Amino acid sequence: MNQKKYGKLYGVGVGPGATDLITLRAVHVLNTVEVLAIPKSSELLEPFAWRVCSPIVRENEAQEKLFLHFPMTKDPEILIPAWDKAFLEIGKRLEEGHNVAFITQGDPSVYSSWSYLLEEAEDRWPGIEIEIVPAVSSITAIPAAIQTPLVDGRERFCVVPGTYGIEDLPQLTKDFDTIVLTKVGQVVPQLVTILKELDLLSNATYVSYGTTDRQRIVKDLESIQNENCDYFSMVILSIRKRKGVLRGQNCETE
């Protein structure tokens, strides 16, 4: 029995926000596929990932721009039907033999909606060819923007989603030298309280819309704790107890 032939499915990361940080491979894929699948969280606002990559996508009337709505919610009763509808639309194009690139902010393998599509792909379209195009991640782009190393020598770092993990900070600060907190916009007041209790408030730096022309860097988190902070924001907590080889080879590790 012949296996059904599908188009190729790509997961393409477009980076943290600056268009000129998009990789050459991503540019090639975005300009050669028949369909761009573009996730959006709002019916009114232009999707952030599309805003990042649209300047490098050439005019091509034959290429379809497939906008797919993914609500900003954790409610599975809302999310599951939305995802199923999106999968059906993507599937129609793949079954017609069209190559489809699903674009995602940052890197496809890091807190990305692409992961849900990847998990479903083989069950829905058996034997489909898949390629993931990695990207510059905000996890490395933001430390570059504030000129703070993530790790050096014997140091260790971890990445924690702000909406799920800040209650673990007391233990994490003992185990890691740098902590990257993603999507902290809604938890800055709680974060300030915890960091003050740990006497680490001065070690934290807030960055929103990193690498873009809207980039904002704040060293004093207390000054913004009453603001409506941006969703696309991150805090780098730089403790760095274990110094690198050049400066701390004879130092205690704790």
Side-chain angles (χ1 to χ4, degrees), residues 179-247:
I179 299 171
V180 178
L181 291 156
T182 66
K183 298 177 181 177
V184 297
Q186 297 178 352
V187 298
V188 171
Q190 300 97 299
L191 183 57
V192 167
T193 298
I194 293 172
L195 293 178
K196 288 178 75 172
E197 291 173 353
L198 296 172
D199 195 26
L200 289 172
L201 189 59
S202 62
N203 296 73
T205 303
Y206 167 96
V207 182
S208 61
Y209 288 98
T211 76
T212 74
D213 56 2
R214 299 172 61 185
Q215 176 173 287
R216 182 188 183 194
I217 299 174
V218 179
K219 298 287 188 179
D220 178 10
L221 268 65
E222 278 192 287
S223 68
I224 60 170
Q225 64 178 328
N226 296 319
E227 293 184 14
N228 184 20
C229 293
D230 295 310
Y231 176 76
F232 295 110
S233 57
M234 178 177 288
V235 165
I236 304 294
L237 183 60
S238 183
I239 309 164
R240 309 196 68 194
K241 303 180 294 296
R242 307 164 187 83
K243 295 300 181 182
V245 175
L246 293 179
R247 291 188 298 161

Side-chain angles (χ1 to χ4, degrees), residues 75-89:
D75 185 347
E77 293 187 3
I78 298 175
L79 280 178
I80 292 174
W83 273 107
D84 188 58
K85 182 178 179 181
F87 292 155
L88 288 173
E89 292 299 321

Side-chain angles (χ1 to χ4, degrees), residues 23-251:
T23 67
L24 293 176
R25 182 174 296 184
V27 172
H28 172 74
V29 171
L30 294 176
N31 281 301
T32 55
V33 294
E34 292 91 346
V35 181
L36 288 181
I38 305 165
K40 61 177 183 176
S41 59
S42 169
E43 295 287 1
L44 302 175
L45 301 176
E46 183 183 34
F48 186 78
W50 176 239
R51 191 161 70 240
V52 172
C53 70
S54 57
I56 57 89
V57 176
R58 294 190 298 267
E59 288 291 332
N60 180 358
E61 292 182 1
Q63 184 183 65
E64 180 184 8
K65 311 301 190 294
L66 178 62
F67 288 88
L68 302 167
H69 184 225
F70 299 112
M72 291 288 290
T73 177
K74 299 175 186 176
D75 185 347
E77 293 187 3
I78 298 175
L79 280 178
I80 292 174
W83 273 107
D84 188 58
K85 182 178 179 181
F87 292 155
L88 288 173
E89 292 299 321
I90 291 171
K92 288 178 186 177
R93 279 71 178 175
L94 293 170
E95 290 165 6
E96 292 170 354
H98 298 313
N99 295 334
V100 178
F102 184 93
I103 67 170
T104 178
Q105 181 187 353
D107 183 275
S109 300
V110 182
Y111 295 121
S112 169
S113 51
W114 159 258
S115 62
Y116 302 110
L117 178 55
L118 181 63
E119 289 173 1
E120 287 275 336
E122 182 59 34
D123 289 337
R124 288 180 178 254
W125 313 295
I128 189 171
E129 185 179 1
I130 296 173
E131 181 177 336
I132 300 174
V133 181
V136 174
S137 167
S138 59
I139 293 168
T140 53
I142 299 307
I146 63 176
Q147 300 184 14
T148 297
L150 276 176
V151 278
D152 182 29
R154 294 171 293 174
E155 296 173 344
R156 296 173 287 185
F157 82 98
C158 67
V159 181
V160 180
T163 50
Y164 292 98
I166 62 171
E167 66 276 4
D168 298 324
L169 276 178
Q171 182 59 47
L172 293 174
T173 57
K174 298 176 183 178
D175 297 333
F176 296 94
D177 301 277
T178 302
I179 299 171
V180 178
L181 291 156
T182 66
K183 298 177 181 177
V184 297
Q186 297 178 352
V187 298
V188 171
Q190 300 97 299
L191 183 57
V192 167
T193 298
I194 293 172
L195 293 178
K196 288 178 75 172
E197 291 173 353
L198 296 172
D199 195 26
L200 289 172
L201 189 59
S202 62
N203 296 73
T205 303
Y206 167 96
V207 182
S208 61
Y209 288 98
T211 76
T212 74
D213 56 2
R214 299 172 61 185
Q215 176 173 287
R216 182 188 183 194
I217 299 174
V218 179
K219 298 287 188 179
D220 178 10
L221 268 65
E222 278 192 287
S223 68
I224 60 170
Q225 64 178 328
N226 296 319
E227 293 184 14
N228 184 20
C229 293
D230 295 310
Y231 176 76
F232 295 110
S233 57
M234 178 177 288
V235 165
I236 304 294
L237 183 60
S238 183
I239 309 164
R240 309 196 68 194
K241 303 180 294 296
R242 307 164 187 83
K243 295 300 181 182
V245 175
L246 293 179
R247 291 188 298 161
Q249 57 185 348
N250 296 319
C251 296

